[in-house]
Amino acid sequence: MIRVAAFLAFLALVAPTAHAVYKWVDEKGVTHYSESPPPDGKAQKIEVKPSGPAAGTPAAPETWRQRDLDSRRSRIEKDREEDQAQAREKRDSAVRKDHCNRARRELRVLETQVPVYTFDDKNEKVYITDQDRLREIDEWKKLIREHCAS
């Protein structure tokens, strides 16, 4: 009886590959299971339906296909994020470089001791005082340290 149960368990595992299973009892009363019928042809054909892990195999390719698609989507999204990060970094670098160049240019003008002026509301020249010049120099040096460090 244990052999029969073990054989049935084995059949359940290999059933997806087997086409048909035949069951018969010989003259000694022993029950046999086989993929081919006995020579006398007196056997009962048993339909074996896949179950357990074998039943899940048809869905497996869909699972792998879905995993592959998800992996590709994930990679595309990651590449897109990296491209955006690089573009952002490039843009930020250009802005820093522009600020750096402007700060250096302004500092050079202030340090040359030439008269520096702006225009007021009446469109008249307003010259910078020595005290304001020193304050402006400090401001531009600070900006240079911030934007020209890298």
Side-chain angles (χ1 to χ4, degrees):
M1 197 60 164
I2 294 175
R3 278 196 258 172
V4 172
F7 186 73
L8 285 174
F10 171 74
L11 285 179
L13 291 174
V14 295
T17 60
H19 298 296
V21 177
Y22 298 93
K23 174 185 172 184
W24 74 92
V25 180
D26 66 9
E27 58 275 350
K28 295 180 185 175
V30 178
T31 304
H32 296 272
Y33 295 90
S34 174
E35 290 183 5
S36 57
D40 64 4
K42 295 181 181 177
Q44 177 185 3
K45 187 174 181 179
I46 300 173
E47 292 294 326
V48 181
K49 297 178 182 173
S51 63
T57 52
E62 187 63 35
T63 302
W64 284 105
R65 206 173 292 132
Q66 187 62 40
R67 286 182 186 168
D68 185 45
L69 287 173
D70 291 345
S71 173
R72 288 180 187 194
R73 281 188 197 116
S74 174
R75 184 66 191 158
I76 288 170
E77 183 63 29
K78 184 178 177 184
D79 289 346
R80 185 180 303 135
E81 287 174 3
E82 287 175 0
D83 290 346
Q84 289 173 347
Q86 286 176 350
R88 219 177 3 260
E89 186 176 321
K90 198 179 234 184
R91 187 177 54 246
D92 291 348
S93 176
V95 168
R96 275 193 312 274
K97 186 176 179 180
D98 185 52
H99 287 289
C100 175
N101 289 338
R102 179 169 182 249
R104 285 181 175 165
R105 192 172 45 250
E106 294 291 333
L107 181 61
R108 267 194 309 273
V109 168
L110 290 169
E111 288 179 336
T112 58
Q113 294 297 322
V114 295
V116 177
Y117 58 89
T118 59
F119 292 99
D120 64 5
D121 296 337
K122 299 175 188 174
N123 208 17
E124 295 176 354
K125 289 182 182 178
V126 177
Y127 288 92
I128 191 169
T129 64
D130 288 340
Q131 187 179 17
D132 288 339
R133 181 184 294 265
L134 292 175
R135 187 181 49 77
E136 288 287 323
I137 287 174
D138 289 341
E139 291 287 324
W140 290 115
K141 283 182 177 179
K142 179 182 171 191
L143 289 172
I144 289 172
R145 281 192 302 272
E146 288 177 16
H147 297 290
C148 302
S150 53

